[in-house]
Amino acid sequence: MRVMIIRHGKVLHDWKKWCTSAEFDEQCALYDKAPIDKASVDTVNDDIQKIYISEFDRALKTAEEIFGEGDFNRTALLNEVPLHSGFDIAIRLPLGVWNFLGRLQWLIGNKRQPEGRKQTSKRAEQFVNMIIKRNEDCAIITHGFFMHTLIRIMKNVGFKVDKERVNYRNGEVILLTRNY
């Protein structure tokens, strides 16, 4: 079984460098609606027919850029891990602080974040179990932070990964294979 995991194309959004909590949440919402840079997507020379994408427009636009117009399988199981400000404050803090606090809260399962690490892992497990059951080669277009969980779960069930990174490049293709 061959699975290509592709991080969506580069999002054309200029993040504010300093934000209040409300501004950070607004920036996250704007990012989710922003278009992608089509030049940031690798080409794929493969005849894979089954293509799974997240529900975000950036995943759809990436899929269209790579595979052309098609009948893509959209699923919330591949959505990015949602991110909200770590606390409410009217003072501006650096963007990196907001990202760090939000992901730390995700890691420990803090209720301020809409999803914790355990929920993200469950979502990834559901998706992996589904594609294993269907036993077909496929492509997956998803998101950078979620990719780490998805790849970890796939490795746990016997997939081999062609390359591992701390940060996956926008549009980058990661190939995973599994023999039965």
Side-chain angles (χ1 to χ4, degrees), residues 18-113:
W18 290 76
C19 305
T20 65
S21 56
E23 289 169 339
F24 178 75
D25 291 338
E26 178 185 35
Q27 287 291 301
C28 289
L30 290 171
Y31 177 84
D32 284 343
K33 294 176 183 149
I36 65 162
D37 174 5
K38 294 177 182 180
S40 68
V41 178
D42 288 347
T43 57
V44 174
N45 296 320
D46 203 296
D47 61 350
I48 286 184
Q49 300 298 311
K50 197 67 156 185
I51 302 160
Y52 296 95
I53 66 172
S54 80
E55 294 179 322
F56 290 94
D57 282 343
R58 59 189 180 265
L60 175 62
K61 297 301 179 194
T62 302
E64 289 173 346
E65 195 61 31
I66 295 171
F67 301 103
E69 296 287 324
D71 186 24
F72 305 116
N73 299 283
R74 285 185 118 167
T75 175
L77 295 174
L78 296 173
N79 285 355
E80 179 62 292
V81 178
L83 181 62
H84 289 283
S85 56
F87 52 89
D88 292 324
I89 190 169
I91 297 171
R92 287 190 170 87
L93 297 175
L95 179 63
V97 169
W98 291 117
N99 283 316
F100 175 78
L101 287 174
R103 292 310 186 201
L104 179 63
Q105 288 176 334
W106 167 83
L107 184 65
I108 63 174
N110 185 289
K111 300 293 184 213
R112 178 78 182 193
Q113 298 305 316

Side-chain angles (χ1 to χ4, degrees), residues 105-141:
Q105 288 176 334
W106 167 83
L107 184 65
I108 63 174
N110 185 289
K111 300 293 184 213
R112 178 78 182 193
Q113 298 305 316
E115 180 176 276
R117 181 178 184 192
K118 289 179 184 175
Q119 294 157 306
T120 302
S121 291
K122 262 190 180 122
R123 191 160 51 89
E125 286 171 9
Q126 280 182 280
F127 181 80
V128 170
N129 289 336
M130 179 187 74
I131 63 171
I132 288 173
K133 186 176 180 180
R134 292 180 180 170
N135 191 29
E136 56 192 354
D137 293 347
C138 62
I140 299 166
I141 299 176

